[in-house]
């Protein structure tokens, strides 16, 4: 019985406190004293209440713009958007801040957060990577502009992560052609991948898949094109062996190499006797 009374009391107390806090905020909203709203907004921000911070700061922004307080209001508003996970809005707000307050002590952090917000809002590698490209470019610009920044380690990590996402996306796209049996398109895509990402962790697998795609293309080709395409299979196999002499894919690739040699000899013999 005592526990029920205690729980009921705590519940009522919580409601009263919430109601009191709500009434206090409503009074702040209706107030015409922008300084009061400014101070309250900073307090809400410290308490990680970004929703109420944003409401108050958006109200006073037209008034404080151009004043010393305006700089902090715009900076905090950008962070409110970031912490509320509206990353694209946050990136735009941080960018505007940097462009407006380029000489501010907060400008460096704003530029970093502009790029970092783009990165945080970028999707997984399966989806369109436009924002990853933008984030990587923006973060590289940040590194060039602020070479001694406290954010450099994080910025370098972001560039590397974006690179990996782009590599994964391009690898998946190229491999998809192979799975769909568009072998000619797959060979071109694998070749483009190697040019774009020469240091990629996928290079060994790409080299093997290029052999596989070329071999399958040769097998399904009309007789007049088979000699040329089996010959290309052998060339791609040799590239794989030269680049990755201990590759895990050599055993499978060697089967296609041997089959291609046999087919070439057969075709040449057939052409000679015809």
């Amino acid at each position: 019985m005592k526990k029920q009374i205690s729980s009921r009391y705590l519940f009522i107390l919580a409601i009263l406190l919430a109601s009191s806090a709500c009434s206090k905020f409503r009074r702040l909203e209706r107030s015409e004293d922008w300084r009061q709203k400014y101070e309250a907004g900073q307090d809400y921000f410290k308490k990680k209440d970004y929703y109420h911070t944003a409401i108050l700061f958006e109200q006073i922004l037209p008034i404080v713009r151009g004043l010393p307080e305006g700089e902090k209001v715009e900076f905090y508003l950008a962070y409110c958007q970031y912490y509320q996970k509206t990353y694209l809005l946050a990136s735009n707000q941080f960018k505007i801040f940097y462009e407006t307050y380029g000489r501010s002590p907060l400008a460096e952090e704003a530029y970093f957060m502009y790029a970092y917000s783009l990165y945080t809002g970028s999707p997984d590698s399966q989806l369109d990577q436009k924002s990853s490209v933008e984030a990587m470019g923006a973060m590289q610009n940040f590194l060039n502009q602020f070479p001694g920044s406290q954010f450099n380690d994080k910025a370098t990590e972001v560039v590397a992560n974006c690179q990996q996402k782009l590599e994964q996306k391009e690898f998946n796209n190229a491999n998809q052609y192979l799975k769909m049996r568009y072998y000619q398109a797959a060979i071109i895509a694998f070749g483009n991948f190697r040019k774009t990402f020469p240091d990629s962790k996928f290079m060994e697998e790409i080299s093997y898949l290029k052999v596989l795609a070329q071999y399958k293309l040769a097998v399904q080709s009309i007789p007049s094109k088979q000699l040329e395409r089996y010959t290309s299979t052998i060339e791609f196999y040799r590239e794989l062996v030269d680049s990755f002499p201990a590759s895990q894919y050599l055993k499978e690739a060697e089967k296609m190499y041997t089959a291609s040699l046999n087919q070439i000899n057969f075709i040449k013999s057939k052409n000679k006797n015809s």
Side-chain angles (χ1 to χ4, degrees):
M1 186 69 178
K2 287 182 179 179
K3 285 185 178 180
Q4 287 182 342
I5 293 172
S6 177
S7 298
R8 210 175 283 173
Y9 172 77
L10 289 173
F11 178 70
I12 293 170
L13 181 61
I15 291 175
L16 290 173
L17 288 172
S19 177
S20 174
C22 185
S23 298
K24 179 184 176 183
F25 182 76
R26 295 300 174 219
R27 286 195 298 272
L28 278 169
E29 270 194 300
R30 291 192 292 268
S31 172
E32 295 184 2
D33 186 347
W34 68 264
R35 292 185 183 279
Q36 186 182 21
K37 291 182 179 181
Y38 176 73
E39 295 297 330
Q42 290 191 94
D43 288 339
Y44 280 121
F45 190 87
K46 288 175 185 176
K47 295 173 184 176
K48 300 183 179 182
D49 186 346
Y50 306 114
Y51 173 74
H52 287 108
T53 301
I55 291 174
L56 294 177
F57 279 1
E58 282 170 359
Q59 284 184 345
I60 67 172
L61 182 58
I63 302 170
V64 300
R65 188 174 277 130
L67 300 177
E69 291 83 359
E71 185 178 319
K72 281 191 175 181
V73 166
E74 293 201 48
F75 189 71
Y76 284 147
L77 272 174
Y79 263 115
C80 285
Q81 290 167 343
Y82 177 81
Y83 287 128
Q84 292 182 93
K85 299 183 179 181
T86 53
Y87 298 119
L88 294 182
L89 289 174
S91 67
N92 186 59
Q93 187 67 42
F94 280 120
K95 185 180 181 183
I96 291 172
F97 181 93
Y98 174 79
E99 292 172 347
T100 305
Y101 303 100
R103 296 182 179 180
S104 167
L106 301 171
E108 178 185 321
E109 184 176 350
Y111 197 99
F112 170 78
M113 286 304 301
Y114 151 61
Y116 194 74
S117 297
L118 282 174
Y119 165 70
T120 308
S122 64
D124 293 336
S125 59
Q126 294 91 337
L127 302 175
D128 181 76
Q129 290 300 304
K130 180 181 177 182
S131 54
S132 290
V133 173
E134 291 178 0
M136 187 164 65
M139 201 60 90
Q140 190 60 60
N141 288 338
F142 171 80
L143 287 167
N144 295 339
Q145 193 157 343
F146 302 98
S149 173
Q150 61 176 315
F151 303 108
N152 274 14
D153 288 345
K154 193 67 177 177
T156 302
E157 181 184 333
V158 166
V159 171
N161 288 344
C162 287
Q163 179 84 358
Q164 288 175 9
K165 288 174 76 172
L166 293 174
E167 284 183 27
Q168 186 70 61
K169 176 67 174 176
E170 290 304 309
F171 175 80
N172 291 345
N173 287 345
N175 204 23
Q176 189 63 26
Y177 286 125
L178 180 59
K179 291 177 180 178
M180 296 172 67
R181 301 181 182 180
Y182 297 154
Y183 301 125
Q184 189 74 64
I187 293 163
I188 294 170
F190 289 139
N192 290 338
F193 183 95
R194 293 178 69 177
K195 291 176 185 176
T196 307
F197 305 106
D199 300 319
S200 171
K201 65 179 181 180
F202 295 113
M203 285 301 291
E204 180 183 343
E205 188 173 358
I206 286 285
S207 296
Y208 163 72
L209 292 175
K210 196 174 177 185
V211 176
L212 177 61
Q214 184 63 46
Y215 176 74
K216 287 184 175 291
L217 177 64
V219 169
Q220 71 167 26
S221 295
I222 59 176
S224 62
K225 294 190 180 231
Q226 284 188 321
L227 180 60
E228 176 190 349
R229 288 174 176 177
Y230 280 122
T231 301
S232 293
T233 303
I234 290 171
E235 291 173 0
F236 293 161
Y237 168 79
R238 286 172 178 161
E239 287 178 9
L240 171 65
V241 173
D242 289 343
S243 301
F244 305 98
S247 174
Q248 61 180 312
Y249 303 108
L250 284 186
K251 187 174 180 181
E252 287 301 314
E254 191 171 351
K255 292 177 184 177
M256 292 180 280
Y257 168 73
T258 302
S260 296
L261 282 176
N262 291 337
Q263 286 298 319
I264 288 171
N265 291 332
F266 173 77
I267 293 168
K268 286 182 176 178
S269 175
K270 185 178 177 181
N271 290 343
K272 186 178 180 180
N273 294 329
S274 61

